[in-house]
Amino acid sequence: MDKISKGQRADYYERIERQHLSPLWESLHQLVPTKPIDACVPVLWRYQDVRPYLIEAGELISAEEAIRRVLILENPALRGLASTTSTLYAGLQLILPGETAPSHRHTQSALRLVVEGRGAYTVVNGERTTMEPGDFIITPSWAWHDHGNTASEGAEPVVWLDGLDIPIVRFLNAGFAQNGQEDSQPIRLQEGTSFARFGHNMVPVNHRHKGRTSPIFNYPYARSREALDNLLRFEEIDPCYGVKLTYTNPLTGSWAMPSIAAFIQLLPAGFDGLPSRSTDATVYVVVEGKGRATVGQQLFTFEEHDVFVVPSWVPVSFACAQDVVLFSFSDRPVQEFLGLWRESLQ
Ligand code: 1HN
């Protein structure tokens, strides 16, 4: 074998390339790495820095013209890909008093986490819900949705974080979209209908649900916060996660969305957590409080409304001097379905 020169191999590679062939032995190690090496990197967006640019966007373009007036939180290692992690998209959306964002639908699933402001609403499949800070709201795949802000002029702007499975759907080449016939879809159901039907650990007796997405599309923050507070009194806190809850689909007990897992967690004042890591890269939104997150080698000091990313298999630990509430989301349902999800608690 030592008679074969580098040149001979290079010549061979050149010739097989013309046949659209490639030698596996040159890339095998990269193709099956011994552990995940995420293309995305840890990153923190300080709300204090981002907010002025959002407000400026409000002066440059209307919600109607923009369709959705959003600043994408683009991972610096994935520029131009509208990706916050390798598999998920996040952006901050601004809607000013009196504005509307027209009705459309797409196969990408979306979640919203309301960051600041009151007076906005979203309509999903004919039911309207008022958006309050901290509310977790779902737009299922292929559901008609439009938004608006009914506050009178001069009132506060409303900002929420959008999370979508855009990179996943792009990878699968399964994206479709349509614009609505009218800017605002007709309201068919009284506000609160879905919560009345499904929000109390009971389900209307003859209900037949289609799809895998939760029939509850607004998980109000007041309820989530109360649940966290109660658990803090009743249970020992987890040394890594504090008190952490998963939003679930009440019909299945499984994830609220088929492609995105969403969580809410409370880190009580004085918490000094242990590191953990998992294969689902995660986007965190600070709902309340300030604290520290150590992500790999980096220390993020975060404040209310900041957003940060923990890539796959990078250890994260949290510490705080005051109560902190974190919302987070990841592609864990997809990984669990494929039998891939792993975590390690150090
Ligand atoms: C979308 O429909 C919304 O409905 C927000 O508010 C962000 C990003 C990409 C594609 C569609 C919305 C989006 C989006």
Side-chain angles (χ1 to χ4, degrees):
M1 274 305 267
D2 23 48
K3 279 174 276 157
I4 293 161
S5 72
K6 275 207 174 127
Q8 267 176 293
R9 281 188 184 164
D11 174 70
Y12 168 76
Y13 293 163
E14 224 177 276
R15 285 183 288 114
I16 66 169
E17 195 190 321
R18 281 179 235 136
Q19 304 296 323
H20 315 299
L21 299 169
S22 172
L24 172 64
W25 58 88
E26 291 290 338
S27 55
L28 188 59
H29 297 293
Q30 280 152 270
L31 294 178
V32 283
T34 54
K35 58 181 181 348
I37 304 160
D38 202 336
C40 86
V41 292
V43 50
L44 167 73
W45 289 271
R46 291 182 204 283
Y47 193 64
Q48 199 184 293
D49 296 337
V50 175
R51 190 180 191 277
Y53 290 110
L54 263 180
I55 299 299
E56 197 178 334
E59 291 156 11
L60 291 172
I61 191 163
S62 68
E64 285 82 357
E65 192 191 345
I67 312 292
R68 298 294 187 264
R69 192 203 285 117
V70 178
L71 292 180
I72 304 171
L73 301 170
E74 210 168 54
N75 195 289
L78 303 169
R79 287 231 169 81
L81 293 172
S83 299
T84 310
T85 70
S86 299
T87 55
L88 295 171
Y89 158 106
L92 287 168
Q93 179 157 180
L94 170 72
I95 189 152
L96 295 169
E99 288 190 320
T100 54
S103 177
H104 70 183
R105 64 176 178 175
H106 37 73
T107 51
Q108 292 82 358
S109 297
L111 65 80
R112 333 257 168 224
L113 193 281
V114 184
V115 172
E116 66 158 313
R118 287 195 159 76
Y121 66 85
T122 183
V123 184
V124 178
N125 279 342
E127 185 180 341
R128 182 168 166 150
T129 190
T130 303
M131 304 172 91
E132 302 281 343
D135 288 359
F136 163 58
I137 294 163
I138 298 173
T139 307
S141 173
W142 209 235
W144 292 107
H145 55 289
D146 55 270
H147 322 301
N149 185 340
T150 55
S152 48
E153 220 170 299
E156 55 197 350
V158 175
V159 176
W160 66 74
L161 177 127
D162 296 305
L164 287 92
D165 53 8
I166 286 173
I168 297 176
V169 175
R170 180 171 55 206
F171 180 71
L172 298 171
N173 283 310
F176 292 90
Q178 281 181 338
N179 288 323
Q181 304 247 297
E182 295 145 286
D183 279 355
S184 301
Q185 63 180 296
I187 310 276
R188 290 184 294 104
L189 295 164
Q190 220 180 304
E191 177 151 8
T193 301
S194 294
F195 204 83
R197 285 180 178 157
F198 305 105
H200 304 90
N201 300 317
M202 291 175 275
V203 174
V205 69
N206 281 328
H207 176 74
R208 295 285 171 269
H209 194 67
K210 293 190 276 316
R212 284 185 220 263
T213 307
S214 171
I216 297 176
F217 73 110
N218 187 346
Y219 293 72
Y221 187 57
R223 297 293 191 100
S224 315
R225 191 69 177 85
E226 185 186 358
L228 291 172
D229 269 339
N230 281 333
L231 278 174
L232 184 62
R233 284 191 281 126
F234 288 118
E235 280 193 352
E236 274 195 30
I237 64 165
D238 182 276
C240 297
Y241 304 127
V243 179
K244 186 169 179 177
L245 293 168
T246 305
Y247 291 96
T248 58
N249 176 344
L251 300 180
T252 61
S254 186
W255 313 103
M257 303 170 73
S259 56
I260 309 179
F263 308 93
I264 189 104
Q265 77 194 99
L266 173 66
L267 310 173
F271 186 75
D272 189 6
L274 296 177
S276 66
R277 61 182 172 176
S278 58
T279 49
D280 53 329
T282 302
V283 180
Y284 286 87
V285 185
V286 183
V287 183
E288 284 184 44
K290 53 174 93 168
R292 299 187 305 279
T294 305
V295 183
Q297 306 297 315
Q298 294 195 55
L299 176 68
F300 293 149
T301 56
F302 61 75
E303 296 190 8
E304 209 161 89
H305 309 332
D306 290 356
V307 179
F308 58 92
V309 167
V310 178
S312 169
W313 216 237
V314 172
V316 58
S317 62
F318 301 105
C320 55
Q322 54 173 251
D323 284 2
V324 162
V325 178
L326 299 175
F327 171 84
S328 57
F329 64 101
S330 79
D331 62 12
R332 185 166 160 183
V334 180
Q335 295 205 22
E336 288 203 351
F337 184 76
L338 299 175
L340 295 172
W341 186 79
R342 287 197 202 189
E343 78 178 330
S344 91
L345 309 170
Q346 281 125 344

